[in-house]
């Protein structure tokens, strides 16, 4: 008689699936760690910023109220303007930007304000989560880059619709000046950002009145 010893023999296919799952999980973990470290390092710098109480900024905030508490802060530790926070959004400006002409500063603030109104911080967070989970799929990396491009192009269009197309030359020059200020870009899309700036400027100058 043959006796069943209860031993389970794993098939080569099952072993390959197990290795694939382990590889995928390691990739997810490494990417999540990378983005988390970048986020917490940035937040540590952001917390060292100070509120901007200049009359122009306070008047601007009064004219651009939203149902979420919005703040404008400044810092010596960043090289270009940015927005962070979803429930309590903050526009963070480099300290040197406060001495810019009012027209240029208005372009910067309006751009970041549009990002906040469109919940682009949340959208970018979801894109990052999708990239971490589907990092093995090269199409997801392409999607990540193109989606970030589309976010900026859409933002530019909304900004100019609010400010008027007659401001597009000033807005385009602001983008060029900000690109020159940037340093330490993410290796993930360093050259992509340079090409994106060129594409944004071309799209701005070609934009026609509706």
């Amino acid at each position: 008689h043959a006796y069943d010893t209860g031993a389970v023999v794993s098939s080569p296919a099952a072993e390959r699936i197990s290795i694939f799952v382990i590889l995928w999980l390691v990739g997810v973990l490494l990417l999540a760690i990378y983005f988390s470290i970048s986020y917490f390092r940035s937040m540590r710098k952001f917390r060292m910023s100070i509120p901007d109480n200049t009359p122009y900024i306070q008047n601007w905030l009064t004219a651009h109220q939203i149902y979420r508490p919005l703040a404008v802060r400044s810092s010596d530790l960043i090289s270009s303007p940015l927005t962070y926070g979803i429930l309590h959004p903050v526009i963070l400006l480099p300290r040197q930007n406060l001495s810019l002409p009012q027209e240029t500063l208005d372009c910067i603030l309006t751009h970041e304000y549009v990002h906040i109104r469109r919940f682009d911080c949340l959208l970018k967070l979801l894109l990052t989560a999708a990239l971490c989970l589907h990092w093995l799929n090269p199409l997801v990396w392409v999607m990540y880059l193109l989606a970030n491009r589309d976010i900026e192009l859409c933002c530019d269009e909304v900004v100019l619709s609010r400010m008027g197309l007659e401001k597009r030359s000033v807005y385009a020059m602001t983008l060029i000046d900000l690109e020159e200020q940037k340093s330490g870009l993410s290796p993930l899309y360093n050259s992509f950002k340079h090409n994106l700036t060129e594409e944004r400027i071309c799209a701005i100058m070609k934009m026609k009145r509706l």
Side-chain angles (χ1 to χ4, degrees):
H1 296 281
Y3 295 95
D4 184 3
T5 60
V8 178
V9 179
S10 61
S11 66
E15 290 180 357
R16 284 195 296 271
I17 292 174
S18 298
I19 293 173
F20 176 83
V21 170
I22 292 172
L23 176 65
W24 171 73
L25 287 173
V26 169
V28 171
L29 182 62
L30 290 177
L31 272 179
I33 290 173
Y34 169 78
F35 284 115
S36 296
I37 290 175
S38 298
Y39 172 79
F40 286 114
R41 280 181 176 175
S42 297
M43 290 304 298
R44 187 166 55 188
K45 289 196 301 184
F46 298 164
R47 290 191 186 100
M48 298 175 68
S49 63
I50 59 174
D52 193 315
N53 296 317
T54 57
Y56 170 75
I57 294 297
Q58 293 306 308
N59 290 335
W60 186 91
L61 283 172
T62 301
H64 294 81
Q65 293 184 3
I66 54 176
Y67 60 89
R68 291 173 287 161
L70 173 62
V72 176
R73 302 175 69 90
S74 61
S75 172
D76 290 323
L77 302 178
I78 61 171
S79 59
S80 60
L82 56 90
T83 296
Y84 68 92
I86 298 172
L87 298 179
H88 297 85
V90 175
I91 298 175
L92 186 58
L93 302 174
R95 189 74 58 84
Q96 63 268 23
N97 279 181
L98 300 179
S99 60
L100 291 172
Q102 184 171 315
E103 192 174 37
T104 302
L105 195 55
D106 193 42
C107 288
I108 294 171
L109 291 170
T110 304
H111 178 87
E112 301 302 335
Y113 175 74
V114 169
H115 276 312
I116 290 171
R117 286 186 61 90
R118 291 166 55 88
F119 285 91
D120 285 340
C121 283
L122 178 58
L123 179 56
K124 290 184 177 183
L125 181 63
L126 294 175
L127 289 170
T128 301
L131 183 66
C132 291
L133 290 174
H134 301 281
W135 68 272
L136 280 170
N137 187 343
L139 294 179
V140 175
W141 291 82
V142 174
M143 176 212 70
Y144 180 80
L145 296 177
L146 294 181
N148 276 280
R149 179 201 67 174
D150 290 344
I151 287 172
E152 295 301 328
L153 290 173
C154 290
C155 182
D156 292 337
E157 186 174 349
V158 175
V159 169
L160 288 176
S161 70
R162 295 177 64 94
M163 299 183 66
L165 286 180
E166 62 274 7
K167 299 283 188 179
R168 60 185 173 185
S169 295
V170 175
Y171 188 63
M173 288 304 301
T174 301
L175 288 181
I176 293 173
D177 292 341
L178 293 178
E179 183 63 23
E180 291 177 351
Q181 294 176 17
K182 288 180 181 177
S183 60
L185 293 178
S186 168
L188 180 62
Y189 50 133
N190 189 350
S191 59
F192 175 80
K193 279 191 174 182
H194 178 73
N195 294 333
L196 173 58
T197 302
E198 294 181 356
E199 184 178 359
R200 289 172 65 190
I201 292 171
C202 289
I204 288 168
M205 301 313 295
K206 291 178 181 178
M207 199 173 295
K208 297 180 180 179
R209 200 178 301 274
L210 296 177

